[in-house]
Amino acid sequence: MIPITVVDVAAAEDLVLQVLRSGAIAQGPMVKRFEDAFSGVAGVPHAVAVNNGTTALVASLQVLDLQPGDEVVTSPFTFVATLNAILEAGATARFADISDEDFNLDPAEVEAAITPRTKVLMPVHLYGQMADMGRLVPIAENHGLALVEDAAQAVGATFEGRPAGSYGLGCFSLYATKNITTAEGGVITTADDTLADRLRVLRNQGMRQRYQYEVAGHNYRMTDVHAAIGIPQLEQLATITEARQRNAEALTKGLDGVKGLRTPRVLPGRTHVWHQYTVLVTDDAPISRDEFAAKLTEKGIGNGIYYPKTVFDYDCYRDNPNVVASDVPVAERVARQALSLPVHPKLTDAELDTIIGAVREVLGA
């Protein structure tokens, strides 16, 4: 089986052992070192490390002091953490449809989703390509909205030269399968000194110094062990990204012209870091997306469906008054058609050829 992803953290062994041998394994100097490196990637002065990507989203919303009934407009086509974070922060979620060109919020649909109670715009940079921030930022500014980027899958991506996480508050996941991983972990990036300070206090039980409590806080801390896993990867981020980009280019070239298959695009002015290489199995394909996935699995090609439904289309959200479902036909169609193929840096040329050959064979190309 060619896996959909491969986790390789061998380069972190020396740093992890250094932390373990020190006996000081909680949040400490290694976290600070990781934060300093990550702030450089995002192009902002502050990176606040936390224990996972969902926490990054929750904490970012919490420091914006949202009140019950305040609304966050976001994407309906995303991992459930996006929605769960909004609910945990006590806000109401509204949704605007996506564009199937980049799988991200369609700016033309965002305006209609904004109400007098909207306080935050939360674009999701899905699969490794940023949303259209050139159009979304003015919308947020015109309506006085805070910007929180769900950049969980987009570390190192850029829009017109500006990095993901450099608009308002940027939220990243460092889960095991992400381009950069600490096994579990997250980061919040910002250029706002006040928000960064509040985040650091919030993540540490509301303490500025030991037993000096300023707010009702939480334990959102990252450990030095986790930070040590991530530091060598951050140092190799350019190499990791280049490998993913090279693999994506090979897949796109090899799958060109396959009937019923639409390969992903890198839109003008953007860089794509290819957390996932996601194709659409269109309605004129000889088989359905689910049949396609099953046949690829039979041939030993790992694949994934990210995501099978719009995020609010589950029983646990249907009767929640803080989840305002909306008509999102593009997102619903993409959820039926999307399938991700392996694009990770460990793929060999032979494996890429095998993936391409299997896809073409299954679809009769």
Side-chain angles (χ1 to χ4, degrees):
M1 177 69 71
I2 299 174
I4 185 69
T5 190
V6 170
V7 178
D8 180 6
V9 294
E13 182 177 351
D14 289 344
L15 274 185
V16 171
L17 286 174
Q18 179 181 322
V19 173
L20 295 178
R21 288 166 178 161
S22 76
I25 61 175
Q27 179 178 301
M30 205 66 75
V31 170
K32 178 64 165 59
R33 179 174 164 184
F34 181 83
E35 289 175 332
D36 289 345
F38 205 100
S39 67
V41 171
V44 293
H46 304 288
V48 181
V50 292
N51 52 10
N52 58 64
T54 306
T55 294
L57 291 167
V58 172
S60 292
L61 293 172
Q62 287 174 330
V63 296
L64 294 175
D65 296 325
L66 300 180
Q67 301 301 310
D70 287 348
E71 296 174 354
V72 179
V73 172
T74 192
S75 171
F77 188 59
T78 181
F79 183 53
V80 73
T82 309
L83 174 54
N84 286 342
I86 294 169
L87 297 178
E88 186 172 342
T92 296
R94 285 188 177 270
F95 305 91
D97 208 355
I98 65 170
S99 165
D100 67 358
E101 292 293 304
D102 61 3
F103 308 116
N104 295 322
L105 277 177
D106 184 345
E109 300 292 329
V110 169
E111 288 275 6
I114 294 172
T115 77
R117 294 305 306 267
T118 305
K119 296 295 188 293
V120 179
L121 178 58
M122 184 185 285
V124 180
H125 305 322
L126 201 65
Y127 301 143
Q129 182 167 215
M130 290 179 66
D132 188 351
M133 302 305 285
R135 296 168 65 193
L136 291 173
V137 169
I139 292 172
E141 291 174 345
N142 291 340
H143 291 274
L145 308 180
L147 260 173
V148 176
E149 298 170 74
D150 184 339
Q153 302 178 4
V155 59
T158 63
F159 180 91
E160 296 180 351
R162 186 168 174 177
S166 63
Y167 301 83
L169 290 160
C171 302
F172 296 84
S173 170
L174 304 170
Y175 180 65
T177 58
K178 295 299 191 292
N179 294 24
I180 297 294
T181 179
T182 58
E184 287 279 9
V187 181
I188 307 160
T189 55
T190 183
D192 189 308
D193 295 344
T194 300
L195 289 179
D197 180 69
R198 292 187 66 189
L199 286 164
R200 292 188 178 104
V201 171
L202 181 69
R203 76 173 170 185
N204 191 34
Q205 298 291 7
M207 291 189 291
R208 183 170 299 281
Q209 297 176 2
R210 191 164 181 80
Y211 302 128
Q212 179 186 331
Y213 301 102
E214 297 188 358
V215 296
H218 305 270
N219 178 1
Y220 289 160
R221 297 184 299 267
M222 177 186 280
T223 72
D224 265 17
V225 176
H226 288 90
I229 295 172
I231 288 168
Q233 295 168 68
L234 277 180
E235 294 171 348
Q236 294 297 314
L237 178 59
T239 300
I240 292 169
T241 301
E242 287 167 5
R244 288 180 175 272
Q245 290 170 337
R246 184 171 58 251
N247 292 342
E249 184 178 355
L251 289 170
T252 297
K253 182 178 179 180
L255 297 175
D256 183 48
V258 177
K259 183 178 180 182
L261 191 78
R262 209 183 89 183
T263 54
R265 293 182 56 204
V266 182
L267 298 185
R270 308 186 208 186
T271 60
H272 203 314
V273 297
W274 299 105
H275 173 61
Q276 299 290 352
Y277 183 91
T278 302
V279 300
L280 296 182
V281 182
T282 57
D283 292 340
D284 59 344
I287 56 177
S288 71
R289 186 272 312 276
D290 290 352
E291 291 170 326
F292 178 58
K295 288 182 179 296
L296 285 180
T297 300
E298 289 174 5
K299 291 182 173 295
I301 308 299
N303 58 87
I305 296 172
Y306 312 107
Y307 301 94
K309 296 182 179 182
T310 53
V311 72
F312 52 74
D313 189 17
Y314 294 89
D315 289 343
C316 58
Y317 301 117
R318 294 190 203 286
D319 297 323
N320 190 321
N322 291 327
V323 179
V324 183
S326 54
D327 186 23
V328 288
V330 177
E332 289 171 352
R333 174 173 55 80
V334 169
R336 292 194 307 270
Q337 296 179 340
L339 180 134
S340 297
L341 298 170
V343 74
H344 59 82
K346 294 299 180 180
L347 288 170
T348 65
D349 289 345
E351 287 173 327
L352 286 166
D353 289 342
T354 299
I355 295 167
I356 292 165
V359 170
R360 298 186 74 93
E361 182 179 350
V362 168
L363 291 178

